[in-house]
Coordinates of all heavy atoms in Angstrom, one line a residue:
I12 N -13.4 -3.7 -1.2 CA -13.3 -5.2 -1.4 C -13.5 -5.9 -0.1 O -13.4 -5.3 1.0 CB -12.0 -5.6 -2.0 CG1 -10.8 -5.3 -1.0 CG2 -11.7 -5.0 -3.3 CD1 -9.6 -6.1 -1.3
I13 N -13.9 -7.2 -0.1 CA -13.9 -8.0 1.1 C -12.7 -8.9 1.0 O -12.5 -9.7 0.0 CB -15.2 -8.8 1.1 CG1 -16.4 -7.9 1.2 CG2 -15.2 -9.8 2.4 CD1 -17.8 -8.6 1.1
A14 N -11.8 -8.8 2.0 CA -10.6 -9.6 2.0 C -10.9 -11.1 2.1 O -11.7 -11.5 2.9 CB -9.7 -9.2 3.1
N15 N -10.3 -11.9 1.2 CA -10.6 -13.4 1.2 C -9.6 -14.2 2.0 O -9.7 -15.4 2.0 CB -10.8 -13.9 -0.2 CG -9.5 -13.6 -1.1 OD1 -8.5 -13.3 -0.5 ND2 -9.7 -13.6 -2.4
K16 N -8.7 -13.5 2.6 CA -7.7 -14.2 3.5 C -7.0 -13.2 4.4 O -7.1 -11.9 4.1 CB -6.7 -14.9 2.6 CG -5.8 -14.0 1.7 CD -4.8 -14.8 0.9 CE -4.0 -13.9 0.0 NZ -3.0 -14.6 -0.7
D17 N -6.3 -13.6 5.4 CA -5.5 -12.7 6.3 C -4.3 -12.3 5.5 O -3.5 -13.1 4.9 CB -5.0 -13.5 7.5 CG -6.2 -13.9 8.4 OD1 -7.3 -13.4 8.1 OD2 -5.9 -14.6 9.4
E18 N -4.1 -11.0 5.4 CA -2.9 -10.5 4.6 C -2.6 -9.1 5.0 O -3.3 -8.4 5.7 CB -3.1 -10.6 3.1 CG -4.4 -9.9 2.6 CD -4.6 -10.1 1.1 OE1 -3.6 -10.1 0.4 OE2 -5.7 -10.3 0.7
K19 N -1.5 -8.5 4.5 CA -1.1 -7.2 4.7 C -1.5 -6.3 3.5 O -1.3 -6.7 2.4 CB 0.4 -7.1 5.0 CG 0.8 -7.7 6.4 CD 2.2 -7.3 6.8 CE 2.6 -7.9 8.1 NZ 1.8 -7.5 9.2
F20 N -2.0 -5.1 3.8 CA -2.2 -4.1 2.7 C -1.3 -2.9 2.9 O -0.9 -2.6 4.1 CB -3.7 -3.6 2.8 CG -4.7 -4.6 2.2 CD1 -4.8 -5.9 2.6 CD2 -5.6 -4.1 1.2 CE1 -5.7 -6.8 2.0 CE2 -6.5 -5.0 0.6 CZ -6.5 -6.3 1.0
Y21 N -0.9 -2.3 1.8 CA 0.0 -1.2 1.9 C -0.5 0.0 1.2 O -1.1 -0.1 0.1 CB 1.4 -1.6 1.2 CG 2.0 -2.8 1.9 CD1 1.8 -4.1 1.3 CD2 2.8 -2.7 3.0 CE1 2.3 -5.2 1.9 CE2 3.4 -3.9 3.6 CZ 3.1 -5.1 3.0 OH 3.7 -6.2 3.6
V22 N -0.4 1.2 1.9 CA -0.8 2.4 1.3 C 0.5 3.1 0.9 O 1.4 3.5 1.7 CB -1.5 3.3 2.4 CG1 -1.9 4.7 1.7 CG2 -2.7 2.6 2.9
N23 N 0.6 3.3 -0.5 CA 1.8 3.9 -1.0 C 1.5 5.2 -1.7 O 0.5 5.4 -2.3 CB 2.5 2.9 -2.1 CG 3.0 1.7 -1.4 OD1 3.8 1.7 -0.5 ND2 2.6 0.5 -2.0
F24 N 2.5 6.1 -1.6 CA 2.4 7.3 -2.4 C 3.4 7.2 -3.6 O 4.6 6.9 -3.4 CB 2.8 8.6 -1.6 CG 2.9 9.8 -2.4 CD1 1.7 10.5 -2.9 CD2 4.1 10.4 -2.8 CE1 1.8 11.6 -3.7 CE2 4.2 11.5 -3.6 CZ 3.1 12.1 -4.0
I25 N 2.8 7.3 -4.8 CA 3.7 7.2 -6.0 C 3.7 8.6 -6.7 O 2.7 9.1 -7.1 CB 3.2 6.1 -6.9 CG1 3.1 4.8 -6.2 CG2 4.0 6.0 -8.2 CD1 2.4 3.7 -6.9
S26 N 4.9 9.2 -6.8 CA 5.1 10.5 -7.4 C 4.9 10.4 -8.9 O 4.9 9.3 -9.5 CB 6.4 11.1 -7.0 OG 7.5 10.3 -7.6
K27 N 4.9 11.6 -9.5 CA 4.7 11.6 -11.0 C 6.0 11.0 -11.7 O 5.9 10.5 -12.8 CB 4.6 13.0 -11.5 CG 3.2 13.6 -11.2 CD 3.0 15.0 -11.6 CE 1.6 15.6 -11.4 NZ 1.5 17.0 -11.8
E28 N 7.1 11.0 -10.9 CA 8.3 10.5 -11.4 C 8.4 9.0 -11.2 O 9.4 8.3 -11.6 CB 9.6 11.1 -10.8 CG 9.7 12.6 -11.1 CD 8.8 13.5 -10.3 OE1 8.4 13.1 -9.1 OE2 8.3 14.5 -10.8
G29 N 7.4 8.4 -10.5 CA 7.3 7.0 -10.3 C 8.0 6.5 -9.0 O 8.1 5.3 -8.7
K30 N 8.4 7.5 -8.2 CA 9.0 7.1 -6.9 C 8.0 6.7 -5.9 O 7.0 7.4 -5.7 CB 9.8 8.3 -6.3 CG 10.6 8.0 -5.1 CD 11.3 9.3 -4.6 CE 12.0 9.0 -3.3 NZ 12.6 10.2 -2.7
K31 N 8.2 5.5 -5.3 CA 7.2 5.0 -4.3 C 7.6 5.2 -2.9 O 8.8 5.0 -2.5 CB 7.0 3.5 -4.6 CG 5.9 2.8 -3.8 CD 5.9 1.3 -3.9 CE 5.3 0.8 -5.2 NZ 5.1 -0.7 -5.2
E32 N 6.7 5.6 -2.0 CA 6.9 5.9 -0.6 C 5.8 5.2 0.2 O 4.6 5.4 0.0 CB 7.0 7.4 -0.3 CG 7.3 7.7 1.2 CD 7.1 9.2 1.5 OE1 6.9 10.0 0.5 OE2 7.1 9.5 2.7
L33 N 6.2 4.3 1.1 CA 5.2 3.6 2.0 C 4.7 4.6 3.0 O 5.5 5.1 3.8 CB 5.9 2.4 2.6 CG 5.0 1.6 3.6 CD1 3.8 1.0 2.9 CD2 5.8 0.5 4.3
L34 N 3.4 4.7 3.1 CA 2.8 5.6 4.1 C 2.2 4.9 5.2 O 2.2 5.3 6.4 CB 1.6 6.5 3.4 CG 2.0 7.4 2.2 CD1 0.8 8.1 1.7 CD2 3.1 8.4 2.7
K35 N 1.6 3.7 5.0 CA 1.0 2.9 6.0 C 0.9 1.4 5.7 O 0.7 1.1 4.5 CB -0.4 3.5 6.3 CG -1.0 3.1 7.6 CD -2.3 3.8 7.8 CE -2.9 3.6 9.2 NZ -2.2 4.3 10.3
E36 N 1.0 0.6 6.7 CA 0.9 -0.8 6.5 C -0.3 -1.3 7.4 O -0.4 -0.9 8.5 CB 2.2 -1.5 7.0 CG 2.2 -3.0 6.8 CD 3.5 -3.7 7.2 OE1 4.6 -3.3 6.8 OE2 3.4 -4.6 8.0
L37 N -1.2 -2.1 6.8 CA -2.4 -2.5 7.5 C -2.4 -4.0 7.5 O -2.2 -4.7 6.5 CB -3.6 -2.0 6.8 CG -3.7 -0.5 6.6 CD1 -4.8 -0.2 5.6 CD2 -4.0 0.2 7.9

């Protein structure tokens, strides 16, 4: 995608059980 504004993106790992873990913030 081409970002249409300045913002933060997050890379999350979501397990099969639905647990979310933040891996990286951009």
